[in-house]
Amino acid sequence: MSSKQSGAPLESESIYRIPPYYYIHVLDQNTNVTKVEVGPKTFIRQDNEKVILGPEKMITIPPRHYCIVENPVLRDKDSQVVLDTNGQIKLAHADQDIRLAQDPFPLYPGEILKQAVSPLRVVTANSAIRLHAILDFESDSGEKRIAGDEWLFEGPGTFIPKKEVEVMETIRATIIQPNQAIRLRARKETRDRDSNLRVAGEEWLVKKIGAYLPGAYEEVVDVVNAYVLTEKKALHLRSTRTFKDDKGVLHKNGEEWLITMADTEAHIPNVYEEVVGVVDITTLNNRQYCVILDPVDKDGKPQLGQKRLVKGEKSFFLLPGEKLEQGIQDVFILGEDEGLILKANEAFVDVDDIEEEVKRRPGDRWMIRGPSEYVPPVEVEVVAHRKAIPLDENEGIYVRDIKTGRVRAVCGQTYMLTQDEELWQKELPPAVEQLLTGGKDPLADRGTRNAVVPEMSSFPAYQQMSTAWDKLQVSEQGSSSSTRRPQPVRQSREFAGCGRDKTKVVTFRVPHNAAVQIYDYKEKTARVVFGPELVMLCPDEQFTQLSLSGGKPKRPNVIKALCLLLGPDFCTDIVTVETSDHARLQLQLSYNWHFDVGDKSPKDAAKLFSVPDFVGDACKAVASRIRGAVAGVQFDDFHKNSAKIIRTSVFGLDENLKIRNKFTFPANNMNITSVDIQSVEPVDQRTRDALQKSVQLAIEITTNSQEATARHEAERLEQEAKGRLERQKITDEAEAERALKELLVLQAQSAAVESTGQAKAEAQSRAEAARIEGETAVQQAKLKAEAAKIEAESALQRLTKTREAELKYQSEQNSLDLSKAKEMAAIEAEKFQNMVSSIGADTLQAISTAGPEMQVKLLQSLGLKSTLITDGSSPINLFSTAQRLIGALEQPNYE
């Protein structure tokens, strides 16, 4: 930096004024040696010297700061800079020098400030910095460090950096609270703070409460919290390798154990202990028990495959490897009407109710009854929980002996199934199931034969059955090795179109004056039950189903029924007949019938069901008799005597030629007592049309006579109405005239009021309009004047601003032009002066006078005195020309 750049007066580029605590580097170009000049001084640069740096401020290191200088200079014992033979400063190349607080110093040529002045690192309490030796050295305390060593500088203190030491990281102490520990791992072989030798990769715990600062080769893996144990919680641990715990107990690899509150209140898992989980206490009351699988003995060895029964009241922890077979179970509390079916899975000696020893073999089944409490041993399996089934006199169940297979019905008593019995389901044909559930009466032609069977839940019988079953709660469950204690389960109901419980005895209420036939397939006998009666089927009995004809005309297999109504009843049929004159007629007949059962002996009762479709057979027989009788008479005779002909054909005549009162079928003792002719219609269309015409003619005659009578009555009423209408019209016209008069008077009054009001309103409106117009004009004039004033002021202000801006612009422009002209004139004058000084005054004089003199002489030789000749491109020297012209003018011409 020259003296001009350093702020000194401009004397010469060879003079450098160096302030205090500044320095420069000067290169001697003859010897190529660079030296340092330190201020304060004035340095005069020689011609062979060159300033390559500076003036630069010296480096100042305040207290508790440092800097790093790379390639430092070498110094002798007196701290003087060492020079070589050429006078060049010697450097420690590739070395570093850490300089602390000292006087300001310059950087010699070749020295580099690697790290600027920085504060020293202060290490606080409970922290440290990990240091790494990059060179072998000996510390101030005399300790030797080898490259690669690591150690800690622990606080509180100020770390003085060294060139042989590298700071790796800052380590802070870990606070160990109560019920806590830290898990450490050795990175290399080292000794911990308790002087214990640790190998690389070894882990250990530190449980001492307070701040713990890990060593140089220690790292904190995790902070381990203690598990707080209570009376209801225990800790399940597993060993990950063979080790001895804090109490000196040896645990092998993979071993599991339990720690409870009796061992310690809080447990911190060792590095080789794995926490499997927290185990809750198992508590049994005096009505509970449990079975433990694979129990652990007193030595802590699991007894695989064994079981242990634990009864309440008791609280315990499940040891590792133990588990409950079916959780905590309730003790079986059996009432007087309850029992348990038991099965022995292995041989053992049982004690019965009278405290006698009974030897049980595997597979034995037996039953215990209440009232009692029962806890099954581990050798016993509870097959089923039985409850006594209460049965009324009209109720029953089907019971099957599982040993013999015999099925029987139990009715009218409270019954409990034994260990060798089970409920048996009685299957019925689907049609019978539907009839039992539907509850329809068996009467023919009731209009419900083809109806869809409703939902089972809509029948009262089904609802009663469901309610009874909900109260029953019978449990019947097969043997299963995986089921130790089945709960009471409701028997599954299969409804296949019905809502019947198949294990209950099938009952059917035979209505009054009806009969049901039941067949026993085991005994191969049939019995007939007359109503009113309740039928209860034995296991091998079935109902005899009736399939009767129905509809009009009769079609087979329309009506399905279980019971046969004995009558009296009726049935309706449509029969097509033809008279002797070939008139085809369609008759709708209704027959009354009943069965004659006599004294209801088995022989008479058996006849009732001898004809399966008695309705169809009876209708066919009656229709055959009617068609035969009608075929022998003409249409007119049949039309007049149809009832007599039909009754005679059906019932026949007795010895006195009188019509009998019934028609009997001896096969089943069925009697038809009467025949009702409901309708007679011709089948032939022409006959039907002729009959229709005659009927229409009779109806037309009657209608015409009624129309004439009604017409005369209407004309009379019309005349009376016309008279009343004329009188009313005259009265209305008089009333209208009076109303018109009143209207005219009111209109005149209204017109007068309207004209007066209109004139007044027009005058007021004109006056108001004039006033508003005047006020509007005044206001408009004021606004126009104000607008003109504002516009003028705005224009004046805008013009003023424009003029001021123009004047300011022109003034500034003139100032710029003037300054520019002055500067150009100065430049031209300086240029001209430099040119003149460069060429010289004598030379200019000679150049300026050489041309004109030659021209003058040339002109004189030509005899010209005032002639100017130029080509337009060469400059003209008018100075001498003008002088000569003036001189020529001043001299008189005497020629």
Side-chain angles (χ1 to χ4, degrees):
M1 183 182 292
S2 65
S3 60
K4 180 179 179 181
Q5 294 172 338
S6 62
L10 183 62
E11 297 178 0
S12 173
E13 295 180 358
S14 300
I15 299 175
Y16 289 85
R17 288 181 171 83
I18 306 173
Y21 299 112
Y22 279 77
Y23 68 95
I24 62 175
H25 288 179
V26 180
L27 173 65
D28 190 340
Q29 295 180 350
N30 292 334
T31 62
N32 285 329
V33 174
T34 304
K35 63 180 180 179
V36 178
E37 297 291 339
V38 181
K41 69 183 297 185
T42 299
F43 175 74
I44 300 175
R45 182 182 62 82
Q46 302 298 324
D47 291 340
N48 62 333
E49 294 177 341
K50 179 180 180 181
V51 176
I52 59 176
L53 179 67
E56 291 288 336
K57 189 176 182 179
M58 292 184 181
I59 297 175
T60 302
I61 303 177
R64 302 188 66 79
H65 286 68
Y66 75 101
C67 71
I68 300 177
V69 177
E70 191 173 6
N71 304 328
V73 298
L74 298 178
R75 296 180 184 271
D76 55 11
K77 296 180 180 179
D78 299 330
S79 299
Q80 298 298 321
V81 178
V82 178
L83 304 178
D84 58 6
T85 56
N86 298 323
Q88 179 72 29
I89 298 172
K90 285 187 177 182
L91 300 176
H93 292 284
D95 197 2
Q96 293 181 357
D97 184 18
I98 297 177
R99 299 178 183 179
L100 302 176
Q102 54 183 291
D103 294 336
F105 62 89
L107 288 178
Y108 288 90
E111 289 185 334
I112 300 173
L113 185 62
K114 183 176 182 180
Q115 181 173 331
V117 177
S118 304
L120 292 174
R121 177 174 297 187
V122 177
V123 182
T124 60
N126 292 332
S127 64
I129 55 176
R130 185 157 60 89
L131 304 178
H132 176 74
I134 57 179
L135 296 173
D136 296 344
F137 75 100
E138 184 175 351
S139 64
D140 298 337
S141 60
E143 186 178 1
K144 293 184 178 180
R145 301 287 184 183
I146 302 174
D149 284 352
E150 294 183 4
W151 69 97
L152 294 182
F153 179 82
E154 300 182 8
T158 302
F159 173 68
I160 307 299
K162 294 180 178 294
K163 64 180 182 180
E164 300 89 355
V165 178
E166 178 185 5
V167 177
M168 301 296 293
E169 61 177 344
T170 300
I171 301 175
R172 299 190 182 276
T174 303
I175 306 301
I176 304 175
Q177 299 179 356
N179 291 334
Q180 266 190 351
I182 58 174
R183 186 173 181 175
L184 302 176
R185 181 189 295 125
R187 296 190 296 111
K188 292 175 62 177
E189 184 175 347
T190 183
R191 289 188 179 273
D192 60 10
R193 295 192 179 273
D194 296 332
S195 299
N196 296 323
L197 182 63
R198 304 292 182 181
V199 298
E202 183 180 357
E203 295 183 359
W204 69 96
L205 294 180
V206 175
K207 301 180 181 179
K208 185 177 179 181
I209 298 175
Y212 182 83
L213 190 63
Y217 296 115
E218 298 175 1
E219 61 178 352
V220 178
V221 178
D222 191 11
V223 177
V224 182
N225 294 317
Y227 288 86
V228 179
L229 304 178
T230 63
E231 294 180 353
K232 297 182 179 180
K233 291 185 180 297
L235 198 61
H236 184 186
L237 301 177
R238 181 189 294 122
S239 174
T240 58
R241 58 169 291 181
T242 303
F243 75 103
K244 285 186 179 181
D245 59 11
D246 298 338
K247 296 181 180 180
V249 179
L250 179 64
H251 296 284
K252 295 183 178 180
N253 188 8
E255 181 181 352
E256 297 183 5
W257 67 97
L258 211 63
I259 295 180
T260 62
M261 189 176 179
D263 301 323
T264 179
E265 294 182 355
H267 180 72
I268 299 176
N270 195 289
V271 293
Y272 304 119
E273 292 178 352
E274 177 186 358
V275 178
V276 179
V278 177
V279 180
D280 295 329
I281 194 170
T282 302
T283 303
L284 304 177
N285 57 28
N286 57 357
R287 288 294 180 271
Q288 291 178 335
Y289 74 98
C290 65
V291 177
I292 301 177
L293 300 178
D294 303 332
V296 177
D297 59 7
K298 296 180 180 180
D299 299 331
K301 304 298 181 181
Q303 306 299 313
L304 300 179
Q306 295 187 12
K307 299 179 182 180
R308 185 172 68 219
L309 177 66
V310 180
K311 301 179 183 179
E313 298 176 353
K314 192 172 184 180
S315 296
F316 61 94
F317 290 102
L318 286 177
L319 299 177
E322 294 181 343
K323 59 182 178 180
L324 298 181
E325 185 178 22
Q326 288 187 351
I328 298 176
Q329 306 179 57
D330 295 331
V331 175
F332 288 93
I333 308 299
L334 303 178
E336 294 182 356
D337 58 343
E338 292 181 314
L340 288 178
I341 305 297
L342 306 177
K343 178 183 177 181
N345 291 329
E346 56 183 284
F348 74 104
V349 178
D350 189 14
V351 179
D352 57 9
D353 297 339
I354 58 177
E355 297 185 356
E356 292 184 359
E357 294 185 354
V358 180
K359 293 184 179 181
R360 304 292 185 184
R361 295 176 299 174
D364 285 353
R365 290 168 60 104
W366 71 98
M367 182 176 184
I368 62 171
R369 298 176 180 267
S372 64
E373 296 180 1
Y374 184 73
V375 177
V378 294
E379 300 88 0
V380 176
E381 175 188 351
V382 178
V383 177
H385 180 202
R386 292 286 171 80
K387 186 177 180 66
I389 304 173
L391 301 174
D392 195 8
E393 295 180 358
N394 296 328
E395 292 180 335
I397 56 174
Y398 296 111
V399 179
R400 179 177 179 270
D401 193 324
I402 60 177
K403 290 186 176 180
T404 63
R406 179 175 174 271
V407 180
R408 60 190 179 93
V410 178
C411 304
Q413 59 177 329
T414 300
Y415 187 78
M416 181 186 296
L417 298 176
T418 64
Q419 67 273 11
D420 297 326
E421 292 179 342
E422 64 179 2
L423 292 175
W424 179 75
Q425 296 183 356
K426 181 175 178 60
E427 298 291 341
L428 295 176
V432 176
E433 293 276 11
Q434 183 175 354
L435 292 173
L436 287 175
T437 308
K440 298 184 295 184
D441 64 32
L443 298 179
D445 297 332
R446 287 295 183 260
T448 60
R449 298 309 173 193
N450 297 325
V452 179
V453 178
E455 293 292 335
M456 295 302 106
S457 58
S458 62
F459 294 110
Y462 171 79
Q463 297 174 356
Q464 294 175 2
M465 185 183 301
S466 299
T467 304
W469 183 259
D470 291 338
K471 296 179 181 179
L472 186 60
Q473 293 184 352
V474 177
S475 171
E476 179 64 29
Q477 189 167 341
S479 175
S480 175
S481 59
S482 62
T483 303
R484 285 286 301 158
R485 180 173 177 256
Q487 298 295 329
V489 179
R490 181 178 300 174
Q491 183 72 23
S492 61
R493 306 179 200 169
E494 301 177 3
F495 294 115
C498 67
R500 181 180 65 88
D501 178 14
K502 297 183 180 182
T503 60
K504 300 186 71 175
V505 170
V506 179
T507 60
F508 182 76
R509 291 180 177 85
V510 183
H512 177 71
N513 201 22
V516 174
Q517 187 181 41
I518 300 170
Y519 187 79
D520 191 338
Y521 285 90
K522 184 176 181 181
E523 301 294 336
K524 294 182 175 55
T525 58
R527 59 188 177 98
V528 178
V529 179
F530 293 92
E533 183 65 46
L534 179 66
V535 176
M536 303 180 70
L537 291 186
C538 293
D540 299 315
E541 290 182 340
Q542 293 287 349
F543 288 104
T544 298
Q545 180 184 352
L546 298 178
S547 180
L548 306 178
S549 298
K552 294 182 292 184
K554 287 291 180 283
R555 291 177 290 108
N557 301 324
V558 173
I559 301 173
K560 306 292 184 181
L562 294 180
C563 64
L564 175 64
L565 290 184
L566 302 179
D569 203 344
F570 70 92
C571 64
T572 305
D573 193 11
I574 296 176
V575 180
T576 302
V577 298
E578 184 177 357
T579 61
S580 60
D581 52 358
H582 304 291
R584 293 175 56 82
L585 303 175
Q586 189 175 15
L587 309 180
Q588 182 170 339
L589 307 176
S590 179
Y591 315 121
N592 289 342
W593 55 267
H594 70 275
F595 285 96
D596 186 6
V597 296
D599 56 356
K600 297 183 180 180
S601 61
K603 183 178 179 181
D604 294 336
K607 283 186 176 182
L608 296 177
F609 294 89
S610 61
V611 180
D613 187 6
F614 66 91
V615 175
D617 293 347
C619 290
K620 290 178 182 178
V622 172
S624 176
R625 290 193 172 199
I626 293 174
R627 281 194 290 268
V630 174
V633 298
Q634 294 185 354
F635 175 73
D636 293 337
D637 294 339
F638 177 74
H639 188 66
K640 296 177 181 178
N641 304 310
S642 58
K644 183 178 180 181
I645 295 172
I646 291 176
R647 286 178 56 84
T648 303
S649 62
V650 173
F651 299 113
L653 301 177
D654 58 6
E655 295 82 1
N656 300 324
L657 299 179
K658 291 183 178 181
I659 300 175
R660 294 188 178 91
N661 55 2
K662 64 179 179 178
F663 174 38
T664 303
F665 293 89
N668 56 355
N669 293 333
M670 178 181 178
N671 297 324
I672 296 178
T673 57
S674 65
V675 179
D676 180 20
I677 305 173
Q678 295 180 345
S679 65
V680 178
E681 294 181 1
V683 178
D684 188 18
Q685 186 64 33
R686 289 179 300 175
T687 307
R688 185 180 301 176
D689 294 342
L691 185 60
Q692 186 69 24
K693 287 181 180 180
S694 63
V695 173
Q696 289 180 355
L697 183 59
I699 293 173
E700 185 177 356
I701 294 172
T702 304
T703 303
N704 291 337
S705 63
Q706 292 177 353
E707 288 180 354
T709 303
R711 186 168 53 254
H712 290 307
E713 183 66 20
E715 290 177 356
R716 183 180 65 80
L717 295 175
E718 184 179 2
Q719 291 299 327
E720 292 179 357
K722 285 182 178 180
R724 288 195 298 272
L725 180 60
E726 291 296 334
R727 289 196 299 272
Q728 186 65 34
K729 186 183 295 184
I730 294 171
T731 304
D732 294 341
E733 288 178 357
E735 188 68 27
E737 289 297 331
R738 284 195 296 272
L740 181 61
K741 178 182 177 182
E742 294 177 359
L743 177 62
L744 292 175
V745 172
L746 294 174
Q747 287 179 350
Q749 296 176 357
S750 176
V753 172
E754 184 178 357
S755 60
T756 303
Q758 183 175 3
K760 182 178 180 181
E762 289 178 355
Q764 290 179 353
S765 63
R766 284 195 296 272
E768 184 69 20
R771 184 181 64 79
I772 294 172
E773 186 176 358
E775 292 177 354
T776 305
V778 172
Q779 186 70 21
Q780 184 176 5
K782 290 181 179 180
L783 294 176
K784 286 183 178 180
E786 187 176 357
K789 180 181 178 181
I790 294 172
E791 186 176 359
E793 291 177 352
S794 301
L796 179 60
Q797 187 176 3
R798 183 173 64 253
L799 185 60
T800 302
K801 296 291 183 182
T802 304
R803 293 291 185 265
E804 291 177 355
E806 290 179 353
L807 290 175
K808 184 176 181 181
Y809 172 76
Q810 192 65 34
S811 176
E812 293 178 355
Q813 186 70 26
N814 293 338
S815 299
L816 293 174
D817 293 343
L818 180 60
S819 62
K820 180 179 178 182
K822 289 180 179 181
E823 292 178 358
M824 292 298 294
I827 293 171
E828 290 294 332
E830 186 179 0
K831 177 181 177 182
F832 186 75
Q833 183 180 359
N834 293 334
M835 291 175 61
V836 169
S837 61
S838 301
I839 297 174
D842 297 337
T843 306
L844 288 174
Q845 184 178 3
I847 292 173
S848 62
T849 58
E853 290 179 355
M854 183 180 65
Q855 293 176 359
V856 169
K857 292 179 178 181
L858 181 60
L859 292 174
Q860 289 178 357
S861 63
L862 295 175
L864 299 176
K865 295 182 178 180
S866 60
T867 302
L868 177 64
I869 301 173
T870 180
D871 58 356
S873 60
S874 300
I876 303 173
N877 189 357
L878 297 179
F879 293 96
S880 60
T881 303
Q883 292 177 359
R884 291 176 181 177
L885 289 174
I886 295 172
L889 292 175
E890 292 179 352
Q891 294 179 5
N893 189 3
Y894 297 105
E895 295 179 358

